[in-house]
Structures are given as structure tokens and as C-alpha cells.
Amino acid sequence: MASVDGKDGTVEPVAGPQVPGSSPALTQRSAAQQSWERNFRRWGGYPLLGMGALTSAASADALMPGHEVQVAGALVSVALALQVWWSRSGHRLPARSPAGQLYYLVRFLLAFTLTWLNPFFAIYAVLGYFDAPHLLPPRFVHAGLLATAVIMAGSQSGGLPPTSTVNWVAFGLLYVLNAPLVLVFSRIAAQEAEHAATMAATIAELEHTNARLALALEENVGLHAQLLVQAREAGIADERRRLAAEIHDTLAQGLAGIITQLEAATESGDPVAARGHARRAVALARDSLGEARRSVHNLAPGELAHAALPDALRRTVEEWSAVAGVRAEFTVTGTAEPLHDEVEATLLRIAQEGLANARRHAAASRVGVTLSYMVDEVTLDVRDDGRGFDPAALPPRKHTGGFGLGGMRARAERIAGAVGIESEPGRGTAVSARVPLVRHG
């Protein structure tokens, strides 16, 4: 991984996530290369100056008169002192600082003069290729590279200044070769630096994104735990409502029927009729006990245990009519087919509640129940010709009262259905439940 160093503009390794498409080995190799370049700019002058001095000393007899050897020795000492300053403190200067530019210029003049004295000092002048982009302003980088190419071409052609036409021709050809090459390589290096900077910015953005993702994950963990608690509480509340509705639709209505039959038996002067009422009360008690057991075990209504929904509704209507003493009719339209257990149980409970409301409140003389099978939904209508009421003026349900219309709506909504009510005072009531037609799996 890499980032741009704020002091010298170089690319430094940093810790962080890998850039997509890059490998750890490639990233480590890039970091190692950048480290090598920094170390070479700091310490490379020593071996290059030493090699140039040694090769020049070995060829001094052939290439340098006596006084030039002394001048070269003095210049080498100056170059060494300059290199010591650079390696100790100068390398810490910001990129393209005035002191760095002065260092580059002084070193170039020393290298040029030394190469003029002996072409082997061009080994030392090679440094100008490596740190021109780092030390010089962008507009002077090419000038520094081309000036260094002059030293290299002069050394390769036999030394500066060229002493013959052949040397001049060789110098020109070599300069034409060196100059484009150094500019091309400089352009490649600049592109690599831009790529490294882009990579560093991408990595920094990835680190920031990863940090935000980690924070979001922590928040999600807390949110998930909170949702689990809420779901558990909602499940408990829903189960309580279900059991309350089951008790209301089964035990409460059964007990109401038992009370009605027992009161009728007590008030009847005919022993035969009284025994009939008592038998109905016993039958209702048995049914209520069975429903209580099934509700505890979360089973379907007992009426649906051994009968299809239309048959269970017909039996329910007939029994209600016998108990309430009200004429009741049951009709099926469409093609009856097995429905999902929850759908059948919901429709049966809504029918029972609608009939119970008609007996308690409507004072009706006639009730009709219709079950309609359609393409994608099933409807259940419970109509009576009783006293009716104003649906908009219904009082809020009390804790001591029944579930009534609100309970029917809640049951239908639990399976994505709906319950509608039409009623007017003196004109009867119609309750219509619509639920999706979900076939038995």
C-alpha cells in the first residue's frame, strides 16, 4: 500500500486494505522500489563519486595533465562535502525547495567540470537523471535532464570539449540518442508517480469506506438485537390476541349459548321443552370444552377437523338458528375448493362472530350467510334485517366487552384480508369479509 509523503512528495508505504485487482506481493514490491529510490537519492552519490574518482585516477596519466589532477582532487573534495551535507540534512528538505534546487545546480556544475577534466567522472553525473523530477520545479525538469544528457554524450564521445570533427559528430549523434531516451523514461516515471498517487488516494478512500462500513456493521448488530426483541414482543402480543380471540369466539359464545338454554329450560313450563334446552346446553358445553383444548394447542376450529369449510359453516348456521330461534339461511356461490387452514379458520371465526353479534344486538327475524368463491379471493357475507346502527358512531371497544367488529377486522388483516360493514338504523346490517384465495398446500 502507498500514500504520498507530505515532506518530499515521495510515495510511502502505509497500512490499509488492498486495492481491488492488486496483489499483496505487487504492493510490497512497489513499496520496496520506492524505498530503494529514496535511499539511492540520499546515499547514491557516495558510490558514484567514488567510482568516478577511482576510474579517473586510473586514467589520469593518459587523460589529465598534472595540474588538472590537482583541480579534480579539489573538486572531488567539494563534491564529497556537498554529498555529506545532503545525506545528513539536505534530503529532509521539502520537494522542489530552493535549497534543493541550489544543491542540484551546484552538483551539476561540479559534475560537468569533473567530466570536462576526465570523461569517467560522468559516472557521478548520472545522479542528475534520478533526482531532477524531485528537486527541480516541473518547468525546469526537462532542462535538467537534457543538461545531464550533454555530460553523458560528451563522455561517451571521448570527453569534453570534442577535439575533432569525428568527436563532434559522435557527440551530436550520442546527444540525439540520449536526449529522447531520457525524456521518454522521465515521462514513464511521471506516469508511474501519478498512478501511485491515484492508488494512494484510492486506498485512503477505501480505508475511510471500510471504517464507515465497520461502524455501520456495529450499528446493524445493535439494530438486529433490538429488532429481535421487538419481534419477540410482537409475537407474544399476537399470540395473546389470538388466544383472546379464540376464547371469545369459542368459550364466551358457548357459555352465552349455555346460559340462554339453561334460562329457557328454567322458564319453560313444558318438561319436554325444558329437557330439550338442557340437552342443547350440555352439547354446547362439550363443544366449548373441545374448542378450549384445541385453542390451547393452536389447532384449527373443531368444526373444520372433519368437515370442509362450506359444511362447517352450514352446520354453524343451523346450530345458531336453533339456539337463537331466528330463521337463518346459508348459500355457497362459485366452485368450492379446499383452502389453506388459516384462511378457513379465519372465515369460520368471522361468521361465528357475525352471527353472535346478530343475536346479541340486531333483534333480527332473518339472517343470511353467503360464502363466495371467486378467481383470487373468497368473500363471506353475513346479513340481517335487524335494527341496524350507524358504523361511524360506534363507541370504542371496552376491555370488558367482546371483540366484535374490531376482532373480525383484525382476523382478516392477519391474512391480508379486509372486513367491510354496511348498516343503517332500522335497515339491518351487512358484514362482508374478503380474504385471498390461498389453496390448501
Side-chain angles (χ1 to χ4, degrees), residues 417-440:
V419 171
I421 300 172
E422 295 181 3
S423 183
E424 290 183 21
R427 293 180 176 272
T429 301
V431 177
S432 178
R434 299 187 346 266
V435 297
L437 193 155
V438 182
R439 295 172 176 83
H440 184 74

Side-chain angles (χ1 to χ4, degrees), residues 77-259:
S77 299
V78 175
L80 180 60
L82 182 65
Q83 185 62 37
V84 169
W85 170 81
W86 174 256
S87 61
R88 287 187 176 180
S89 58
H91 72 281
R92 297 191 183 92
L93 295 171
R96 303 179 183 88
S97 66
Q101 298 172 29
L102 181 61
Y103 162 75
Y104 185 92
L105 177 61
V106 172
R107 192 189 63 197
F108 170 79
L109 294 175
L110 288 172
F112 182 85
T113 305
L114 288 170
T115 305
W116 188 284
L117 298 175
N118 190 313
F120 285 105
F121 276 112
I123 298 173
Y124 174 60
V126 169
L127 283 171
Y129 284 152
F130 287 92
D131 53 12
H134 173 71
L135 296 176
L136 300 179
R139 64 181 181 274
F140 293 132
V141 171
H142 287 171
L145 295 174
L146 293 176
T148 302
V150 171
I151 299 176
M152 304 308 296
S155 173
Q156 294 162 3
S157 63
L160 293 172
T163 56
S164 65
T165 303
V166 173
N167 292 127
W168 276 106
V169 172
F171 171 77
L173 292 175
L174 288 169
Y175 184 76
V176 170
L177 177 64
N178 278 276
L181 283 177
V182 72
L183 293 179
V184 168
F185 287 125
S186 173
R187 179 57 183 167
I188 293 174
Q191 290 176 346
E192 289 182 352
E194 292 175 1
H195 177 70
T198 302
M199 182 182 293
T202 302
I203 291 170
E205 180 63 25
L206 284 174
E207 290 178 334
H208 182 59
T209 302
N210 283 350
R212 288 184 296 177
L213 285 175
L215 182 60
L217 286 175
E218 292 179 1
E219 293 177 352
N220 285 342
V221 169
L223 216 67
H224 180 65
Q226 183 179 355
L227 288 175
L228 286 178
V229 172
Q230 292 177 350
R232 181 176 178 275
E233 293 175 350
I236 292 173
D238 186 69
E239 184 64 11
R240 287 174 177 170
R241 285 192 296 270
R242 184 192 71 79
L243 289 175
E246 289 292 328
I247 292 171
H248 172 267
D249 293 342
T250 56
L251 296 180
Q253 293 184 22
L255 291 173
I258 293 170
I259 292 171

Side-chain angles (χ1 to χ4, degrees), residues 238-307:
D238 186 69
E239 184 64 11
R240 287 174 177 170
R241 285 192 296 270
R242 184 192 71 79
L243 289 175
E246 289 292 328
I247 292 171
H248 172 267
D249 293 342
T250 56
L251 296 180
Q253 293 184 22
L255 291 173
I258 293 170
I259 292 171
T260 300
Q261 294 301 320
L262 291 176
E263 288 177 347
T266 302
E267 296 172 358
S268 175
D270 184 358
V272 176
R275 284 194 296 272
H277 289 302
R279 284 195 299 272
R280 292 191 189 98
V282 171
L284 285 172
R286 289 195 182 111
D287 290 341
S288 297
L289 179 60
E291 287 295 341
R293 290 170 177 167
R294 292 185 181 91
S295 297
V296 170
H297 290 87
N298 194 25
L299 298 177
E303 295 89 340
L304 297 172
H306 304 289

Side-chain angles (χ1 to χ4, degrees), residues 346 350 406-419 434-435:
T346 298
I350 290 175
M408 288 190 282
R409 286 195 176 100
R411 286 185 177 276
E413 290 170 357
R414 193 176 298 130
I415 59 172
V419 171
R434 299 187 346 266
V435 297

Side-chain angles (χ1 to χ4, degrees), residues 352-431:
Q352 291 173 336
E353 180 64 25
L355 291 171
N357 287 342
R359 185 180 64 190
R360 284 195 298 265
H361 309 297
S365 62
R366 186 175 179 181
V367 173
V369 178
T370 303
L371 179 66
S372 303
Y373 291 86
M374 289 176 279
V375 177
D376 55 358
E377 70 177 13
V378 183
T379 64
L380 175 71
D381 298 301
V382 181
R383 305 172 306 281
D384 66 66
D385 61 354
R387 61 171 60 99
F389 62 94
D390 182 2
L394 281 176
R397 183 176 70 88
K398 299 179 180 179
H399 293 291
T400 57
F403 279 72
L405 300 176
M408 288 190 282
R409 286 195 176 100
R411 286 185 177 276
E413 290 170 357
R414 193 176 298 130
I415 59 172
V419 171
I421 300 172
E422 295 181 3
S423 183
E424 290 183 21
R427 293 180 176 272
T429 301
V431 177

Side-chain angles (χ1 to χ4, degrees), residues 6-77:
K7 293 182 178 181
D8 57 7
T10 59
V11 180
E12 297 285 348
V14 298
Q18 296 295 327
V19 177
S22 67
S23 65
L26 179 62
T27 304
Q28 293 173 2
R29 187 163 57 250
S30 176
Q33 179 181 355
Q34 294 153 10
S35 178
W36 181 89
E37 290 176 356
R38 288 195 308 274
N39 289 331
F40 182 79
R41 285 196 300 270
R42 181 178 180 182
W43 306 105
Y46 291 111
L48 293 179
L49 180 61
M51 291 173 60
L54 290 175
T55 54
S56 297
S59 60
D61 293 340
L63 299 176
M64 301 170 64
H67 68 282
E68 291 185 358
V69 173
Q70 297 173 359
V71 174
L75 292 178
V76 167
S77 299

